[in-house]
């Protein structure tokens, strides 16, 4: 099991040049502290996220030596699939074989209207894009024809460093999306705020789909994370910001497993700490990660230490340091039998 870092920051975080520099500083910290990945994400029309995840991944690759670099997620249907394959292959070459692509269909129509792509056929567009990426990375030349895309005798140059191409992991939280991940992908990515019971049920459905296709299942869980030595300081730095973000995502429609909750104002921090966040002392973080691993079968984690609205960069680096020095080593030790 490995633990990486995912960056979710944008214009609302502060001056873009400053914030992008802080992301690079956090990526360097992840590389130094033993995290497994330093990945980017996107929305195309949002003050809360930057919209060019692969460009930022190139910069992260140049500033790191060990971590995986790439996306979790890029909204795949918004890209020309051959260009996306070329950009991912170039990232793999620049990073020496460290590229990792997490892809999703997105859940906000404004992302599609911003770049002039149809929202209605996004599932078919997503499906074809993944298949084209795989062909482009594994075949010298390829042709493709389906409902959306048609390419004849094309080639992506250079090919990725990694044998078999850049790993493709698909985000999903619908039955069709889980089946797609099982059919086409190297793994499934959860969303950041689904509960542990929801994740466990979806992971079972995904694994069944993957195994039916002869694929080895792999589950990557995105979690908001804040380790602390002082609960009072953690609530001040992380609590209000985390609660505000959870409420915003509920309003966006990204949280669908809160039975009885009809308004974002009803959401409490305590509920999210219980089975959605990794929040607590280093020992409590180890225990929480262990529950997700044991109950949902999570193989890898991507931790978000900074929301678009905070905490500040110094606090984030301090939290990453605490996690890297006290939580990661404990996760690497063999479990003690009961």
């Amino acid at each position: 099991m490995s633990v990486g870092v995912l960056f979710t920051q944008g214009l609302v975080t502060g001056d873009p040049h400053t914030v992008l520099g802080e992301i690079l500083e956090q990526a360097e910290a992840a590389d130094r502290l033993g995290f497994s990945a330093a990945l980017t994400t996107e929305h195309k029309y949002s003050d809360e996220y930057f919209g060019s995840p692969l460009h930022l991944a190139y910069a992260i690759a140049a500033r790191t030596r060990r971590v995986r670099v790439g996306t979790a997620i890029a909204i795949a249907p918004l890209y020309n699939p051959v260009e996306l394959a070329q950009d991912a292959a170039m990232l793999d070459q620049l990073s020496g074989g460290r590229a990792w692509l997490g892809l999703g269909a997105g859940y906000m129509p404004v992302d599609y209207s911003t770049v002039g792509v149809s929202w209605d056929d996004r599932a078919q567009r997503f499906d074809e894009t993944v298949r084209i990426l795989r062909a482009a990375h594994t075949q010298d030349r390829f042709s493709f024809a389906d409902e959306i895309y048609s390419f004849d005798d094309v080639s992506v140059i250079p090919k990725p460093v990694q044998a078999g191409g850049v790993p493709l992991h698909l985000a999903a939280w619908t039955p069709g999306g889980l089946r797609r991940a099982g059919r086409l992908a190297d793994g499934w990515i959860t969303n950041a705020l689904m509960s542990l019971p929801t994740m466990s049920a979806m992971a079972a459905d995904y694994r069944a789909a993957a195994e039916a296709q002869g694929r080895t299942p792999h589950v990557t869980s995105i979690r908001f994370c804040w380790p602390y030595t002082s609960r009072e300081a953690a609530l001040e730095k992380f609590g209000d910001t985390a609660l505000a973000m959870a409420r915003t995502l509920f309003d966006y429609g990204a949280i669908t497993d809160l039975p009885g909750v009809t308004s974002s104002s009803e959401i409490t921090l305590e509920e999210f700490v219980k089975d959605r966040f990794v929040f607590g002392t280093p020992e409590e973080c180890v225990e929480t990660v262990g529950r997700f691993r044991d109950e949902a079968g999570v193989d890898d984690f991507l931790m978000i230490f900074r929301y678009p609205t905070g905490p500040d960069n110094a606090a984030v680096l301090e939290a990453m340091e605490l996690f890297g020095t006290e939580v990661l080593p404990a996760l690497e030790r063999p479990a003690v039998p009961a």
Side-chain angles (χ1 to χ4, degrees):
M1 185 183 67
S2 63
V3 180
V5 181
L6 177 60
F7 304 117
T8 58
Q9 296 155 52
L11 293 179
V12 73
T13 313
D15 169 70
H17 179 74
T18 300
V19 173
L20 289 166
E22 290 171 350
I23 290 175
L24 295 179
E25 187 178 3
Q26 293 161 29
E28 289 177 322
D31 203 46
R32 171 177 56 83
L33 290 166
F35 289 92
S36 62
L39 304 180
T40 62
T41 190
E42 73 169 329
H43 283 293
K44 292 301 185 188
Y45 186 82
S46 172
D47 288 344
E48 296 170 341
Y49 298 86
F50 293 120
S52 301
L54 280 168
H55 295 81
L56 182 52
Y58 294 148
I60 291 171
R63 297 278 286 267
T64 58
R65 292 293 177 266
R66 191 187 50 78
V67 288
R68 285 280 193 176
V69 293
T71 62
I73 55 109
I75 306 173
L78 305 186
Y79 293 83
N80 176 290
V82 172
E83 287 187 325
L84 181 58
Q86 289 173 329
D87 290 345
M90 183 61 73
L91 178 62
D92 205 46
Q93 287 288 342
L94 288 169
S95 65
R98 292 186 283 132
W100 195 96
L101 274 190
L103 303 171
Y107 56 89
M108 296 179 67
V110 69
D111 285 323
Y112 283 73
S113 61
T114 296
V115 297
V117 173
S118 169
W119 168 258
D120 294 335
D121 60 10
R122 64 192 181 282
Q124 180 67 23
R125 194 176 292 270
F126 188 17
D127 190 286
E128 292 184 28
T129 296
V130 176
R131 289 153 53 204
I132 291 166
L133 282 166
R134 190 77 74 185
H137 285 175
T138 58
Q139 299 177 32
D140 181 41
R141 306 192 69 83
F142 76 98
S143 298
F144 182 93
D146 207 328
E147 294 180 21
I148 307 293
Y149 297 109
S150 178
F151 299 101
D152 184 41
D153 193 31
V154 299
S155 182
V156 164
I157 302 171
K159 291 290 186 286
V161 173
Q162 297 177 77
V166 175
L168 305 177
H169 295 250
L170 305 189
W173 63 64
T174 66
L178 293 168
R179 289 193 297 271
R180 181 186 300 111
R183 176 167 51 89
L184 297 176
D186 298 304
W188 168 56
I189 308 172
T190 77
N191 76 13
L193 285 172
M194 63 174 56
S195 68
L196 177 53
T198 297
M199 187 187 303
S200 298
M202 289 189 176
D205 291 343
Y206 155 69
R207 285 194 193 88
E211 289 166 356
Q213 297 293 322
R215 292 186 172 277
T216 301
H218 191 100
V219 176
T220 298
S221 176
I222 300 175
R223 295 288 92 179
F224 290 103
C225 177
W226 198 258
Y228 61 73
T229 54
S230 164
R231 184 175 180 84
E232 182 179 33
L235 290 172
E236 179 184 351
K237 282 285 185 184
F238 179 80
D240 289 345
T241 300
L243 183 57
M245 191 63 188
R247 288 173 172 171
T248 297
L249 289 171
F250 180 87
D251 290 336
Y252 283 169
I255 306 172
T256 58
D257 58 345
L258 280 170
V261 175
T262 59
S263 168
S264 58
S265 62
E266 300 171 25
I267 296 173
T268 65
L269 182 63
E270 289 72 21
E271 180 171 19
F272 276 75
V273 167
K274 181 174 63 177
D275 70 353
R276 297 172 196 260
F277 290 159
V278 177
F279 180 83
T281 64
E283 293 79 12
E284 289 169 335
C285 289
V286 170
E287 189 274 334
T288 300
V289 168
R291 280 195 296 118
F292 279 91
R293 177 195 61 214
D294 297 341
E295 295 183 30
V298 174
D299 297 289
D300 297 310
F301 289 84
L302 295 172
M303 300 301 188
I304 300 172
F305 290 93
R306 191 184 201 183
Y307 293 90
T309 52
D312 63 87
N313 187 50
V316 169
L317 291 171
E318 184 178 343
M320 290 178 64
E321 188 85 27
L322 180 61
F323 197 99
T325 56
E326 297 197 26
V327 179
L328 288 182
L331 294 174
E332 292 169 358
R333 290 195 290 268
V336 177

